[in-house]
Amino acid sequence: MTVYVRALETAVPPTKLIQTEARDVFAAQPGLTRLGSRLVATCFDSAAIDTRYTAVQELTLDSRSDDPKFFDPATGLLRSPSTKERNDLFAREATKLFIDAAASAVANCAGIEPLDITHLITVSCTGFFNPGPDYKIVRALGLNPAVQRYHLGFMGCYAAFPALRAAKSFCEADPEAVVLVVCAELCSLHVRTSNDPDTIMGSALFADGAAAAVVTAREAPESETLLQLDHFETVLTPVGEDSMAWNIGDEGFEMVLGNYVPHIIDDHIVGALEPLLARDSSLMGLPYRDITHWAIHPGGRSILDKVQSRLGLTDEQLVPARETLRNYGNMSSATVLFVLRHILDLPPQGRDERICSMAFGPGLTVETGLFTRIGQPLEVPADDRLADEAESSLA
């Protein structure tokens, strides 16, 4: 049975962060050592990010608040709210993003109505509350109260893949199933000033955003471009368990992102792809460049550099990942769906285009997915069509 993503939509909060302005704020914090100040400048400037979005409205220089909890623009000081204060904001603001992305996906899925949704999968690693985002979506969108609800929590940047894999399984088990997958992350809740290199790197990279997909095996209108879900695989690298982690502290969640992560990916990316490509006999023995599109989770510029170099990918093939990083930053689990959305917006290059996608997270875990972009046949110029017909008749 063939399962498709019938709609894929994204959402971001309204507050935009300019990378250079954020750098200057973090660099001006008291308590930074000379090394810490240099690391702030280096991490922010080398991140290949221009803009990011945040649900924390206080983080902009022109914000106004009588009781600032995250940032006081009058003094230029970053504050240290408790984990509870950060999570309270998550419950309020993440709900908006979950609902916005979900509503957009359902509204833009031809032939699917809210009451058609049979399963709902929500994903996040940046906060917790209950009744959770799954409940809020059901109420806001008017879904069937009996819809099956699942939440994947605290898995990290790769979590969109287990969610899509579960959606595919539901649809294969029930041909009439329609699964709504929604990822929403508020990573900026947990930024803070520090001399710690991992914390500084997180402050330079992470941002907020959401993405939602409608997954089903139901028949679709012929004119609709579809993303076919082919295969998924999971690989745990033999090293790196301590190099990427996400822990809960008294003042928010604490990220561990060791500078050795790009080297681990460089050493193990080829092996991580082998189980995925072995699932499709048409790809065995082909060079990686024969896959049309690559949807790489932009965990950071250096990670993208290592993947491109090791797999021999072209600059053009990395454009969706690099542009997502440049314009939105790293939004954890939602990010790879932004990259896929970018690919779906590109002009078609052929009838069926293979997409290889991957994301990296704590463990070190490498999640991979193989998709096919199903589009309409390209228009063939009349002269070429006549030549093809003449050649066929001679044969």
Side-chain angles (χ1 to χ4, degrees):
M1 180 178 299
T2 305
V3 180
Y4 300 97
V5 170
R6 288 272 304 279
L8 178 57
E9 300 295 332
T10 62
V12 293
T15 302
K16 179 187 288 189
L17 294 179
I18 307 301
Q19 184 77 345
T20 52
E21 294 178 358
R23 175 203 62 202
D24 293 344
V25 167
F26 276 83
Q29 296 307 302
L32 283 180
T33 63
R34 290 182 61 184
L35 176 58
S37 297
R38 285 166 47 198
L39 285 173
V40 168
T42 299
C43 290
F44 276 77
D45 290 344
S46 65
I49 294 172
D50 291 340
T51 57
R52 292 178 282 168
Y53 292 84
T54 177
V56 187
Q57 297 179 6
E58 292 179 9
L59 290 180
T60 58
L61 294 174
D62 58 354
S63 66
R64 295 290 182 270
S65 174
D66 295 333
D67 183 25
K69 297 185 182 301
F70 288 80
F71 174 63
D72 183 358
T75 62
L77 295 179
L78 289 164
R79 297 180 176 270
S80 300
S82 68
T83 300
K84 181 184 185 305
E85 289 174 313
R86 297 176 197 258
N87 197 69
D88 287 346
L89 194 148
F90 175 86
R92 182 175 70 251
E93 298 299 327
T95 295
K96 299 176 185 177
L97 279 182
F98 271 109
I99 292 173
D100 286 351
S104 181
V106 175
N108 286 285
C109 190
I112 297 296
E113 301 295 332
L115 289 176
D116 291 322
I117 304 298
T118 59
H119 301 71
L120 172 61
I121 304 172
T122 54
V123 179
S124 189
C125 69
T126 47
F128 304 92
F129 63 97
N130 199 9
D134 51 327
Y135 175 91
K136 301 293 187 180
I137 291 171
V138 170
R139 292 303 193 198
L141 271 63
L143 304 186
N144 187 331
V147 65
Q148 295 186 36
R149 294 151 42 205
Y150 304 87
H151 181 72
L152 300 183
F154 223 65
M155 297 185 77
C157 293
Y158 62 80
F161 286 92
L164 290 175
R165 184 168 56 235
K168 183 174 185 287
S169 296
F170 291 146
C171 294
E172 288 171 338
D174 177 4
E176 291 302 309
V178 180
V179 186
L180 177 59
V181 174
V182 194
C183 302
E185 304 285 8
L186 269 58
C187 306
S188 68
L189 289 179
H190 304 291
V191 301
R192 67 192 62 133
T193 182
S194 174
N195 288 297
D196 176 70
D198 288 352
T199 304
I200 293 172
M201 181 61 71
S203 299
L205 286 176
F206 281 106
D208 304 346
V214 177
V215 180
T216 186
R218 291 188 185 184
E219 185 175 350
E222 290 185 3
S223 61
E224 188 175 357
T225 299
L226 303 173
L227 186 66
Q228 178 177 306
L229 301 183
D230 296 325
H231 309 295
F232 294 96
E233 289 290 341
T234 302
V235 172
L236 299 181
T237 61
V239 295
E241 181 177 347
D242 299 326
S243 297
M244 189 183 293
W246 192 228
N247 303 313
I248 298 178
D250 293 333
E251 296 178 350
F253 298 171
E254 300 168 352
M255 185 199 66
V256 177
L257 183 61
N259 58 13
Y260 195 63
V261 168
H263 301 285
I264 297 172
I265 293 172
D266 186 34
D267 289 341
H268 298 284
I269 191 65
V270 173
L273 276 174
E274 288 177 353
L276 179 75
L277 300 184
R279 298 284 299 273
D280 193 321
S281 60
S282 68
L283 297 176
M284 292 303 293
L286 292 179
Y288 294 121
R289 64 177 177 271
D290 289 335
I291 295 174
T292 307
H293 302 290
W294 289 81
I296 310 299
H297 168 68
R301 179 194 56 78
S302 58
I303 289 177
L304 293 179
D305 290 346
K306 290 294 186 183
V307 171
Q308 181 175 5
S309 175
R310 176 62 67 179
L311 300 183
L313 305 182
T314 67
D315 290 342
E316 183 180 10
Q317 288 173 315
L318 265 291
V319 165
R322 293 194 189 277
E323 285 300 299
T324 298
L325 181 65
R326 183 175 306 281
N327 296 323
Y328 299 100
N330 183 343
M331 300 165 286
S332 192
S333 67
T335 318
V336 74
L337 298 180
F338 275 68
V339 179
L340 285 168
R341 180 66 263 177
H342 186 117
I343 290 172
L344 290 175
D345 289 337
L346 294 174
Q349 300 180 31
R351 181 64 177 91
D352 295 340
E353 302 169 12
R354 305 309 297 272
I355 303 171
C356 187
S357 185
M358 63 184 70
F360 319 97
L364 184 68
T365 303
V366 182
E367 287 278 353
T368 56
L370 191 62
F371 312 116
T372 303
R373 180 187 180 186
I374 308 295
Q376 297 303 301
L378 298 177
E379 287 293 331
V380 180
D383 292 343
D384 291 346
R385 190 163 56 245
L386 290 173
D388 290 343
E389 292 173 355
E391 184 176 325
S392 176
S393 64
L394 290 174

